Each structure stands twice: as structure tokens, then as C-alpha cells.
Amino acid sequence: MKLLNFTIIKLTICLTLGICIAHYFKPNFSIAIYLSLGLMALLFIYYLGLKQKANRSPYFAILAYCCMVSLGINAYNIQNEKLQPQHYTNLKFEEYPILKFKIKERLKPDLYNDKYIVSLISANKSEASGQLLINIKRDSISGTLPVDAIIYTKSDLKDIQKPLNPHQFDYSKYLELRQVYSQIYLQHNQFLILSNQSTTIYGYADQLRSTINSGLIKSGFEDDVLSIINALLLGQRQTIDKSIYNNYVNSGTIHILAVSGLHVGIILLILNFIFKPLLLLKHGRIIRPLIIVTLLWLFAIVAGLSPSVTRAATMFSIISIAMHLKRPTNIYNTLAISAFFILIIKPTFLFEVGFQMSYLAVLGIVSIQPILYKLWQPKYWIFDMPWQILTVTIAAQIGVLPISLFYFHQFPGLFFISNLVVIPFLEAILGLGLLVIVMTLIGYIPKPIVQIYSFIIQLLNKFVAWVAQFEAFLFRDIPFTIIQVLCTYIIIVSTVQIYKFKTFKWAAICLIGIICLQGTYIYNKFQNQDEAFIVFNKSRFSMIGHKENDKLEVHHNLDDSKLRNDNVIKNYKVGEFIDDVALSNLQDIYQFKNKTLLVIDSLGIYKNVSFQPHFVLLRNSPKVNLNRVIDSLKPQHIIADASNYKSYIKRWQATCRHKKIPFHYTNEKGAFIVE
């Protein structure tokens, strides 16, 4: 089957290309609009001239594809809130503007703050728009704010901090994809709630989730069980304990905690079974799909309309309607249609990890699973069912493996074992969970059902924890670049095509992909032949690294537990293709390429130094007079890491400004790197 013979697939590819052009090259909004109008006018004129022959003209097709590319550009630009004149990035504020905003989404809290995405309503009593990240200091008395609550406050807008260490996850870029560019910090006595009434569908969904949670708590569900119910049935992962979450990651079953096609597909099967009697009615083939599609989208809304659940609801809605109309469906067409409509409405979903992995998993299943299943076709159900689950799991894992390595740099070796058990668990949990939610809304859940359902979820958690403990089968810190991702997908696609068509063309493409993949490893190895000296940013501690080719020596003062959970070195190791990491204690003097760095720690000893260092590193808040240090040592650069008191930093910054000597504070400017 030649997929590109399907028009919707080609149009979706062109739409995706347009979105990528808008995202990376940022063409002018007006020029893009005029170009799009011109192309559509030209297409219409060309169509009128050709009439019936239009579908056979290559120039007509090229014009149509160009129009679709321009549509992708404009869809992205129209969704770009920064282009609106009243957006807060285009307004000038005084130091502490008066803000009014509406809670849009509740995020996972950190140790110190509850976090929300909010929509700005006004600033200094004038109309304003845009989304902000709000951090509200946690306390034991005040609860969380409901979605749609309107808040009034006076606060300064702050930039979202960029990564302070090399190859660290860029949270600011992640938020930019969600059109969040600034944040504010508040305490509970610094804002006023003007309204907490639900006014949007998201607010009503949040209210429904709160009602369900209250009912579940009253029925006796414990926290760990409740957090899994929230993740699997309500799409909310904010309350999952970190150790439980890590167990799901390490066992290769984290996908079940994000509501996606697997969950929606199971729910569709359940709903098809429940509403099967409607087919006996006169208009049953119309009533049944309408009810099912409505319920699927209600579930998607309650689950938060994430990219994965939106994709799944769209795709299964199309499949459900086609099934009831007795129309033949092509899964690739269905995927393309769902992607097309989602990207027209939300173009930035294209760059969301969940959206990408969701589609790649489904593509892996529909393309590779039939090939794997044909290797052995058991006659008996007891063997056939686990074999189907195993082949689906392997196919999905092949589909997402390259991009998963690129984003997460790890691979769970026991994923096939864990999924063999977890997927049947999930079917039982979703089926019984829907019943539990209905009973919760009615106001009564029998105690035996609470105990049985809790036991099933606890059993699932224990099994996942048991699999996760085999750390030898979890391959971590795997460097993988975007070029390697593309090469790997070329190899996967061409291998599937070789199996189907057995042509020399696909064999040649596969071979080229393998050669290119090998070439990237050679290139990365060659690029890694360099040296670097790094003063990392680590709150309350000091970390200094010396990279030499593919080896890294780290000097630090972290204890074993903090070092084990620290991501600074792991990120640098993966990003720089480091093979060996050696750890040692901090030193007083470092030499790098004929340059000397002197470390002045809390003891403040420097007077007996007989040389002039190029750099002076201040750590652990030394009680020194920086004026005298500069006059005595005459350094070219002063560095302060994040182990120092902030009051000391301000004083040192003022001294360096007065002395006209560069001052680098790692907690503001990031890691200090000499290459």
C-alpha cells in the first residue's frame, strides 16, 4: 500500500511542514497572510481554468500543497498570543502592576509552591491578555485554588529562569510552547479571590474531578490508590508519590499513567458493549455512535484534554462513526485526519512530547505488530492473548524508542514483561473504575468494591515496584541526538517496507540509514576531542568539573544520597557523550590551559598565595573583604557559586562593579565554563 496515495496524508504532512516553518523561522505575520491569500486565489483561478482535469494536473497539486503549507504557517501565527497588541509582553508596566487573572490549569506542585497556569484579564485596570505561571507558597491551612477562579493581586512579573547548567532541561522553552513567558510569586495573604465559580468547560470538569475525589476519600480510598485512580481515570498525575512514579518509569509502564489511545480504546470497547442494545432501535445506528462519541469527549475533557487524550478521542470518534456507518476505514487515514484537525486547532501540540510519542506508538502498532504476529499464530486463546499483547507492546516500543532515547536517554529492558501483566490490569482497572466513579457520583460505594478495587491497584503498584528493582535491566544515560533519531526512523520504516515489498530501493535506503547512523557516532566521537573547565551551579553546594575528551573529573562536596539523585552531572555526561566520570573532593587550586583558579572557601584563606590567579572562586560564603582580595591577587575574573549567601553576593557584585572587574554568579548567569 502506497500511503502517499491518500490525499489527507499528503495534506497533513504539508500542514506539519508549515507549522515547523512558522515555529523555527518565524515569518512575518502580514506577509504570511498575504502569501496565503494569493496562493488560494491562484489555486481557485487555476481550478476554474482546468475544471474536470484539475485532479490530474501536477501543477494544481503543487499549488494545493503550497496552500496547505501556508495554512500551517498561518494557523501557528494566529495561535501566537504574543502577536496580540494587548499581550502583556507588548505592554509596559510599572514595578508592581495590579493584575486580574483567571486560573486556567493546576500544575504539579513543588516542595514550596502550588503552581497554576492563568489567563490574564487586566493589568492596571486596562485590558490585557496572555498566560502566566503563578507560584503560590504552600501552607497547611489553605487549599488549592479551583479552575476558573478569578484572582486580584499586585505583583511583579518575573522571567522564567533559563537552565543554569549545560544540557539541563529547559523549563522556560517548555512553557513557551504553552505560550507562558513570565511568572509571579505570591503568598496566600497577597491576593484576593474575586470569584471561584466555574464558567468554562474546564472549570466544570475540575469541579467534577473535585466532587469525585471527595467521594472517593469518604469511601475510604487511601492516598496511593487515589493518586493512581486520578491518573488513570481523571488524567491528573499531580498527586502521585515520586517513588511510585519512578517505579512506573523504570519498569517501562509510565505510559499507562498518561491517558492516551490505550485508555480511550478500552473505554470505547466498554461503551460499545454497554450500548449494544441500542442497535435494536429504529435509529440505533445513529443514536449509539452519538452517545459513545459524546461520552468519549466528556472523558477527554475530564482528563484535561492533553495532546495524547485529544488525539485518541479524535481518532476513536472517527473510527466509531465509520464502524456504525459500515464504511471501510484505513487506520493511516484515520490517524492523518485526527492529526490534521488537532494541529489546525492547536499547532503547538506538534512539539509536545506526548503528542509525538502517542502517534509514533500507534504507527508502530499498526505497521509492525501484524508482521510480528505472523511469526507465530497460536491456535488456543490462552496463548494467543498474551502473544497479541506482547507483539503490540514490542511494536509500540519500536515506534517510540528513537524519540524516547532522545528525550529521556533511558530504555527499560523489561518493558515486555511488565506490559504483559500491566495491560490486563489496566482493562480491569478502567472497567471497574468507571463503575466506581458512577457509584461515587450517586453517593454510595459498597465497602467490598472499595476493598477489591484498592487491592487490584495496590497489587499493580507492587508488581511495578518489583520489576523496577531490577536496575541492571534499566539502561540509563544513553546519548542520542536528533540526527540519530531521524536515521533510526529511516532504518525502521525501510525495514518494514523491505518485508512488505522486498525491493532493492528500500534495501538501499535502509543501508544508507545504517551508514548515516554509524557516521553520526563517528562524528560525535570526533567532536568530543576537546577540553573544558566548568564551575556548575548547585544550590548550597559546590561542583567543579574538568572535561578531557570523553572523560570527566568532578570535584564536589555532596553527600552520597544527594550525589545519587543529582542530575547536573548526568545531564552533562549525556549531552557531552562522556564515557567515564571520576569523583573526588574539592581542591584549593586548579590549573587549566595555563590558567589558574584559586578557591576561597568559608575559611577565607588567601594571604599566603604567591601567584596571581586568573580566576577566583568564592564558595561557602567566605568572610573576606573582596576589595582587599582584588588588590592583593589582581584576578581577571571573580566567580561565585550557589553555595554563598545572597546577601554576600549583592555586596560582592557592588565591589566588582566599583573595581570594574567581571563578576559571574552561577545562580544568575549559569555555570561558568572555560573551553
Side-chain angles (χ1 to χ4, degrees), residues 208-225:
L208 178 62
R209 286 194 295 265
S210 298
T211 302
I212 292 169
N213 267 298
S214 299
L216 293 172
I217 292 168
K218 287 178 183 177
S219 300
F221 286 100
E222 296 179 358
D223 288 344
D224 288 349
V225 173

Side-chain angles (χ1 to χ4, degrees), residues 528-657:
N528 205 25
Q529 303 301 309
D530 61 353
E531 284 189 74
F533 184 85
I534 314 102
V535 178
F536 293 102
N537 181 75
K538 182 67 180 174
S539 180
R540 294 179 296 170
F541 294 94
S542 296
M543 292 175 63
I544 298 172
H546 179 206
K547 174 187 178 294
E548 188 173 0
N549 300 331
D550 58 356
K551 295 179 174 58
L552 177 68
E553 185 176 4
V554 180
H555 303 259
H556 67 93
N557 61 346
L558 279 73
D559 57 42
D560 291 340
S561 63
K562 289 189 181 297
L563 186 65
R564 192 163 47 249
N565 298 318
D566 183 69
N567 289 320
V568 173
I569 298 173
K570 290 178 184 177
N571 292 336
Y572 190 80
K573 177 185 174 184
V574 171
E576 294 291 331
F577 302 92
I578 301 294
D579 291 334
D580 299 316
V581 177
L583 303 173
S584 61
N585 295 325
L586 290 164
Q587 300 175 3
D588 295 327
I589 300 170
Y590 292 91
Q591 287 283 133
F592 178 76
K593 289 187 176 181
N594 300 320
K595 293 186 177 181
T596 309
L597 180 138
L598 174 67
V599 179
I600 301 179
D601 58 17
S602 58
L603 297 176
I605 298 172
Y606 68 93
K607 292 182 180 179
N608 295 326
V609 173
S610 59
F611 59 90
Q612 290 184 353
H614 295 84
F615 309 105
V616 169
L617 171 63
L618 304 170
R619 58 166 295 267
N620 207 18
S621 305
K623 295 180 180 179
V624 294
N625 186 318
L626 192 56
N627 273 303
R628 293 176 185 170
V629 171
I630 294 171
D631 291 339
S632 173
L633 301 178
K634 295 181 173 55
Q636 298 175 7
H637 215 121
I638 300 293
I639 309 158
D641 65 15
S643 66
N644 297 287
Y645 295 132
K646 290 187 178 180
S647 57
Y648 284 38
I649 297 295
K650 290 180 181 178
R651 189 167 69 245
W652 293 338
Q653 284 175 329
T655 301
C656 286
R657 275 196 302 270

Side-chain angles (χ1 to χ4, degrees), residues 202 209 230-237 255 257-265 267 293 295-317 338 342 349 352-359 362 430:
Y202 297 101
R209 286 194 295 265
N230 269 281
L232 295 178
L233 291 162
L234 304 178
Q236 307 300 304
R237 297 190 292 178
H255 59 91
L257 295 183
V259 178
S260 60
L262 179 62
H263 304 69
V264 179
I267 289 170
V293 169
L295 291 175
L296 283 180
W297 279 101
L298 282 174
F299 173 74
I301 290 165
V302 171
L305 282 179
S306 66
S308 55
V309 74
T310 304
R311 188 273 309 163
T314 305
M315 186 181 73
F316 283 111
S317 296
S338 66
I342 291 169
F349 271 9
E352 296 248 357
V353 179
F355 182 88
Q356 295 169 10
M357 295 189 72
S358 178
Y359 273 93
V362 175
L430 288 177

